[in-house]
Amino acid sequence: MTTSPAAHLTLAVVFGAAVRSDGTASPTLARRTGYAAAVAESDPGVDLFLSGSVGRYPPSEAAVMADLLTGKVSAERLILDEVSKDTLQTVRAAAAHARKNGYGAIVSCTDAYHQPRVGMLFWMMGFAARPVRLPARGPRELRSRMWLRECAAIPYDFIAGIGAVWRDRYRETGEQR
């Protein structure tokens, strides 16, 4: 599913999460998708970039999100990224899609603990992503673990993001290293 170039001004990037063994959305994936649906329903100028490959269980996270959105958001407004396996890949794919199709704004739909890293990576790719505010859910211990994981992931993705930007610049300009 794709959208026509520059048909909408805002791209809402929905970050994937686990798919259960029966092929249904985990609570995290369902929550992120639900908030993205609310953003799209409130503004017809928003397309949804659904990102996530096949994880431990099929189908892809993006396909599960698209199924959850059936009847809520028209298929023409859904862009499925079934290739990206992590946050950096999702941001790179979404930024490339936004640039190619003339989107003027990006909003990121993910949990609060994930937003600082997502914002940093979009900034590195040349976009100021506005976060969709999702309320914290789940046991406090789990939320604490996720914040700690992000503390380790931010420096890692900062370095990886610099490498990605550097490689993309050389690819775009055709310069020799």
Side-chain angles (χ1 to χ4, degrees), residues 29-40:
L29 187 59
R31 187 176 69 259
R32 290 177 184 178
T33 306
Y35 275 87
V39 169

Side-chain angles (χ1 to χ4, degrees), residues 16-20 23-26 29 33 50-68 79-85:
V19 171
R20 292 180 166 171
T24 61
S26 64
L29 187 59
T33 306
L50 310 175
S51 186
S53 65
V54 174
R56 186 172 182 187
Y57 303 108
S60 73
E61 296 162 5
V64 171
M65 286 188 270
D67 285 345
L68 290 173
I79 299 97
L80 272 67
D81 166 28
E82 297 182 281
V83 177
S84 295
K85 295 180 181 298

Side-chain angles (χ1 to χ4, degrees), residues 67-168:
D67 285 345
L68 290 173
L69 292 165
T70 300
K72 295 178 182 162
V73 180
S74 68
E76 299 81 39
R77 295 174 61 197
L78 304 179
I79 299 97
L80 272 67
D81 166 28
E82 297 182 281
V83 177
S84 295
K85 295 180 181 298
D86 61 29
T87 300
L88 178 57
Q89 289 178 7
T90 294
V91 169
R92 289 182 75 199
H97 180 80
R99 199 170 283 112
K100 178 181 175 188
N101 292 285
Y103 288 91
I106 290 180
V107 296
S108 58
C109 192
T110 190
D111 291 279
Y113 61 80
H114 197 210
Q115 291 286 8
R117 180 162 53 120
V118 166
M120 173 194 73
L121 290 170
F122 272 119
W123 175 80
M124 293 174 84
M125 302 297 155
F127 289 93
R130 191 171 33 101
V132 173
R133 302 281 180 209
L134 276 67
R137 294 280 193 253
R140 184 181 186 111
E141 182 181 309
L142 174 63
R143 292 193 323 261
S144 295
R145 253 194 342 257
M146 299 310 285
W147 277 102
L148 286 172
R149 184 187 78 173
E150 288 300 305
C151 289
I154 286 173
Y156 175 87
D157 267 358
F158 180 75
I159 300 299
I162 289 171
V165 168
W166 183 77
R167 283 188 306 277
D168 290 347

Side-chain angles (χ1 to χ4, degrees), residues 40-57:
E41 289 170 347
S42 71
D43 184 349
V46 174
D47 286 340
L48 299 181
F49 188 90
L50 310 175
S51 186
S53 65
V54 174
R56 186 172 182 187
Y57 303 108

